[in-house]
Amino acid sequence: MTPPGRQPVRRRTAALRRRAVLATVPLTVAALLGAAGPTAAGPTEAGAAGPGTIGAAGAGDPYFPLSGNGGYHVRHYGLALRYDTATRRLDGTAVLTARATQRLSRFDLDLTGLHVTRVAVGHDTARFRRDGQELVVTPARTLRRGQEFQVTVAYHGTPGPVSDPDGSADGWIPTDDGAFVAGEPQGAMTWFPANSHPSDKSSYDITITVPQGRTAVSNGTLVGQRTVHGRTTFHWRETRPMAAYLATATVGKFTVQRYTTPDGIRVYNAVDPREAAAAAPVLKKLPSVLRWESTLFGPYPFRSAGAIVDHAHDVGYALETQTRPLYDRAPDLATLVHENAHQWFGDSVSLTTWKDIWLNEGFATYAEWLYSEQHGGESAQQTFDALYATPAGDDLWAYPAGNPGSGANIFGTPVYARGAMTLHALRRAVGDRTFFRILRAWAGEHRYGHGTTAAFERLAERASGKDLTGLFHTWLETAGKPGHA
Ligand code: TRP
Ligand code: ZN
């Protein structure tokens, strides 16, 4: 199941049963850069327009120093894409509506590969150059701090994935019938110019034109679909704030199923026929899984839901693309529970920095444990105990969940399993009533926004009235196997 050289699939309760050994991946240059600190994060370069007017090349994330950019916030992305599945050529126009957070004589977007033919800011053509993953834009006139502006980028090319520090691929991944498009953590820049860091969230309108007979699936609701001269255009709209890595434009030959749940959530499932038989019994449970998660975590944050089940086994992972998780094969029930739990934890409540990734993966994994517990399977305590029995030298204890150390480790077992163990330790310390109140308060107070580990710790202490410093320090910050469970 797990392709050689790639980490085992990380997000299943079955991880317990077939918990393979984490591959030891050599540190890549990117990871080393990350470890060395945010070299690219400050406005270091003083241009002709004077210091302090140049947007930083990165959002300041030590794990991915060039991800995101400084100096502006993107309110809305309007992406018009056309993908030729035969030649694998992508033609795109991106219109970003943004607001300057400082005086800006120059700013960057993230974009890798592809050929840019024109950049405009407002109605004026802007100068631009490429510098690695940075598309460096110099508007004709310096933007005032607080000014709203539109950037238009016309581009085309043959997109492909980026390679992550852990050796996995993300971004635009061509398949035999289209493309599997999954942007975590860095891949958004392989198919659109973006402020590609979860600290910036935006609404999206995405239109994708593909050859008739193919389906293009993205986030949110399908606003329209039209076939003209052998090509079909799909118009998707996500109005809730979304991080760039959660956007998708997956293309393939899909069977589509649409319905509205009793709770009024609009479901759109797209399934590769080769996965249909295996996917059907699991997808049937989506409404009940969403309802169960809503009772635990609070109201479902979005208006639409669904699944994209592709036939792309080489990818080796699923992604919690907003409103509509993307699976590289028919998911098992635990994976369905996991990716949909991310809609609360990761998508609605987003990371401020990749170091806090356990706030996504630990929570989604713990949702799997809770699902099992409340549906006649192992209790969370049993799952915890089985993991705790793992010997001290095991990869599970290789680093603490709250401090993976580099981008190469953000999808490792300690983040998922020890992250979930942290929540279980919290549950035992504060009791069930308070614990579930904390989960709901976390999802509610940071809805459509951002969280940090420190904010979660404060919430847990406030809700419980307990000093939890020791517990969090042990489970999230201390290397090695905790001495007592
Ligand atoms: N966030 C995904 C999940 O747990 C996993 C994932 C996304 C991933 N992109 C990745 C894992 C890249 C490894 C490499 O559901
Ligand atoms: Zn996950």
Side-chain angles (χ1 to χ4, degrees), residues 10-11 164 166 168 184 317-320 338-339 342 361 411 416:
R10 295 127 298 256
R11 65 234 171 269
D164 293 323
D166 68 1
S168 56
E184 191 185 26
Y317 61 82
L319 179 65
E320 61 269 23
H338 179 111
E339 302 309 338
H342 274 309
E361 302 306 345
F411 300 118
Y416 285 70

Short mmCIF file of all heavy atoms in Angstrom, two decimals, residues 10-11 164 166 168 184 317-320 338-339 342 361 411 416, ligand 1:
data_model
loop_
_atom_site.label_atom_id
_atom_site.label_comp_id
_atom_site.label_asym_id
_atom_site.label_seq_id
_atom_site.Cartn_x
_atom_site.Cartn_y
_atom_site.Cartn_z
N ARG A 10 -0.70 8.23 7.17
CA ARG A 10 -0.58 8.67 8.53
C ARG A 10 -1.86 8.82 9.29
O ARG A 10 -1.84 9.16 10.44
CB ARG A 10 0.08 10.06 8.55
CG ARG A 10 1.47 10.07 8.08
CD ARG A 10 1.60 11.12 7.00
NE ARG A 10 0.73 10.74 5.91
CZ ARG A 10 1.18 10.20 4.80
NH1 ARG A 10 2.44 10.00 4.61
NH2 ARG A 10 0.36 9.84 3.84
N ARG A 11 -2.99 8.65 8.60
CA ARG A 11 -4.15 9.20 9.26
C ARG A 11 -5.22 8.17 9.54
O ARG A 11 -6.38 8.45 9.47
CB ARG A 11 -4.73 10.32 8.43
CG ARG A 11 -5.25 9.84 7.11
CD ARG A 11 -4.67 10.61 5.96
NE ARG A 11 -5.01 10.00 4.70
CZ ARG A 11 -4.22 9.09 4.14
NH1 ARG A 11 -3.10 8.72 4.72
NH2 ARG A 11 -4.54 8.55 3.01
N ASP A 164 8.40 17.72 -1.20
CA ASP A 164 8.44 18.24 0.17
C ASP A 164 9.69 17.76 0.90
O ASP A 164 10.32 16.80 0.49
CB ASP A 164 7.19 17.78 0.93
CG ASP A 164 5.94 18.42 0.37
OD1 ASP A 164 6.02 19.60 -0.01
OD2 ASP A 164 4.90 17.74 0.32
N ASP A 166 9.91 16.01 3.35
CA ASP A 166 9.82 14.61 3.77
C ASP A 166 9.83 13.65 2.58
O ASP A 166 9.62 12.45 2.74
CB ASP A 166 8.59 14.37 4.65
CG ASP A 166 7.28 14.52 3.88
OD1 ASP A 166 7.31 14.79 2.66
OD2 ASP A 166 6.22 14.36 4.50
N SER A 168 7.70 13.54 0.06
CA SER A 168 6.42 13.34 -0.62
C SER A 168 6.19 14.47 -1.62
O SER A 168 6.83 15.51 -1.57
CB SER A 168 5.28 13.26 0.39
OG SER A 168 5.28 14.40 1.20
N GLU A 184 -0.85 20.66 0.35
CA GLU A 184 -0.23 20.75 1.68
C GLU A 184 1.15 20.14 1.70
O GLU A 184 1.30 19.00 1.29
CB GLU A 184 -1.09 20.05 2.74
CG GLU A 184 -0.62 20.37 4.15
CD GLU A 184 -1.37 19.58 5.24
OE1 GLU A 184 -1.89 18.49 4.95
OE2 GLU A 184 -1.42 20.06 6.37
N TYR A 317 -1.45 9.60 0.13
CA TYR A 317 -2.12 10.27 1.24
C TYR A 317 -3.43 10.90 0.78
O TYR A 317 -3.69 11.02 -0.42
CB TYR A 317 -1.21 11.34 1.88
CG TYR A 317 -0.80 12.46 0.95
CD1 TYR A 317 -1.64 13.52 0.70
CD2 TYR A 317 0.44 12.44 0.32
CE1 TYR A 317 -1.26 14.56 -0.15
CE2 TYR A 317 0.84 13.47 -0.52
CZ TYR A 317 -0.02 14.52 -0.75
OH TYR A 317 0.37 15.53 -1.60
N ALA A 318 -4.23 11.27 1.74
CA ALA A 318 -5.45 12.02 1.48
C ALA A 318 -5.23 13.43 2.01
O ALA A 318 -4.31 13.68 2.79
CB ALA A 318 -6.64 11.37 2.18
N LEU A 319 -6.07 14.37 1.59
CA LEU A 319 -5.95 15.74 2.08
C LEU A 319 -7.33 16.31 2.38
O LEU A 319 -8.28 16.08 1.65
CB LEU A 319 -5.23 16.62 1.06
CG LEU A 319 -5.06 18.10 1.48
CD1 LEU A 319 -4.15 18.23 2.69
CD2 LEU A 319 -4.51 18.93 0.32
N GLU A 320 -7.35 17.11 3.45
CA GLU A 320 -8.60 17.69 3.93
C GLU A 320 -8.99 18.95 3.17
O GLU A 320 -9.38 19.96 3.78
CB GLU A 320 -8.47 17.98 5.43
CG GLU A 320 -7.36 18.99 5.82
CD GLU A 320 -6.00 18.36 6.13
OE1 GLU A 320 -5.72 17.25 5.65
OE2 GLU A 320 -5.20 19.02 6.84
N HIS A 338 -11.32 11.15 9.78
CA HIS A 338 -10.14 12.01 9.97
C HIS A 338 -10.22 13.26 9.09
O HIS A 338 -10.10 14.39 9.59
CB HIS A 338 -8.89 11.18 9.64
CG HIS A 338 -7.61 11.92 9.76
ND1 HIS A 338 -6.69 11.64 10.75
CD2 HIS A 338 -7.07 12.94 9.04
CE1 HIS A 338 -5.64 12.44 10.63
NE2 HIS A 338 -5.85 13.24 9.58
N GLU A 339 -10.42 13.07 7.80
CA GLU A 339 -10.38 14.23 6.89
C GLU A 339 -11.54 15.18 7.16
O GLU A 339 -11.39 16.40 7.02
CB GLU A 339 -10.41 13.77 5.43
CG GLU A 339 -9.28 12.83 5.01
CD GLU A 339 -7.89 13.32 5.35
OE1 GLU A 339 -7.69 14.53 5.55
OE2 GLU A 339 -6.98 12.46 5.45
N HIS A 342 -10.90 17.38 10.15
CA HIS A 342 -10.06 18.52 9.77
C HIS A 342 -10.87 19.73 9.35
O HIS A 342 -10.36 20.85 9.35
CB HIS A 342 -9.15 18.15 8.60
CG HIS A 342 -7.86 17.49 8.96
ND1 HIS A 342 -6.99 18.00 9.89
CD2 HIS A 342 -7.26 16.36 8.47
CE1 HIS A 342 -5.90 17.22 9.96
NE2 HIS A 342 -6.05 16.21 9.12
N GLU A 361 -3.31 17.56 13.00
CA GLU A 361 -3.22 16.10 12.89
C GLU A 361 -3.52 15.37 14.20
O GLU A 361 -4.10 14.29 14.19
CB GLU A 361 -1.85 15.70 12.34
CG GLU A 361 -1.52 16.31 10.97
CD GLU A 361 -2.58 16.04 9.90
OE1 GLU A 361 -3.44 15.17 10.10
OE2 GLU A 361 -2.56 16.74 8.86
N PHE A 411 4.55 15.55 9.09
CA PHE A 411 3.56 14.48 8.91
C PHE A 411 4.05 13.17 9.51
O PHE A 411 3.66 12.09 9.07
CB PHE A 411 3.20 14.32 7.43
CG PHE A 411 2.61 15.57 6.83
CD1 PHE A 411 3.25 16.24 5.79
CD2 PHE A 411 1.44 16.11 7.33
CE1 PHE A 411 2.72 17.41 5.25
CE2 PHE A 411 0.90 17.28 6.80
CZ PHE A 411 1.54 17.92 5.76
N TYR A 416 0.92 12.88 14.65
CA TYR A 416 -0.41 12.26 14.60
C TYR A 416 -0.74 11.54 15.91
O TYR A 416 -1.72 11.84 16.57
CB TYR A 416 -0.48 11.26 13.43
CG TYR A 416 -0.61 11.91 12.08
CD1 TYR A 416 0.45 12.61 11.52
CD2 TYR A 416 -1.78 11.82 11.35
CE1 TYR A 416 0.34 13.20 10.27
CE2 TYR A 416 -1.91 12.40 10.10
CZ TYR A 416 -0.85 13.09 9.56
OH TYR A 416 -0.97 13.67 8.33
N1 TRP B 1 -2.94 16.34 6.04
C1 TRP B 1 -3.08 15.04 5.42
C2 TRP B 1 -3.86 14.18 6.39
O1 TRP B 1 -3.41 13.85 7.42
C3 TRP B 1 -1.78 14.37 5.09
C4 TRP B 1 -0.89 15.02 4.12
C5 TRP B 1 -1.16 16.06 3.29
C6 TRP B 1 0.44 14.67 3.84
N2 TRP B 1 -0.07 16.36 2.54
C7 TRP B 1 0.92 15.54 2.86
C8 TRP B 1 1.28 13.70 4.34
C9 TRP B 1 2.21 15.43 2.36
C10 TRP B 1 2.56 13.60 3.87
C11 TRP B 1 3.02 14.47 2.90
O2 TRP B 1 -4.98 13.90 6.18
#
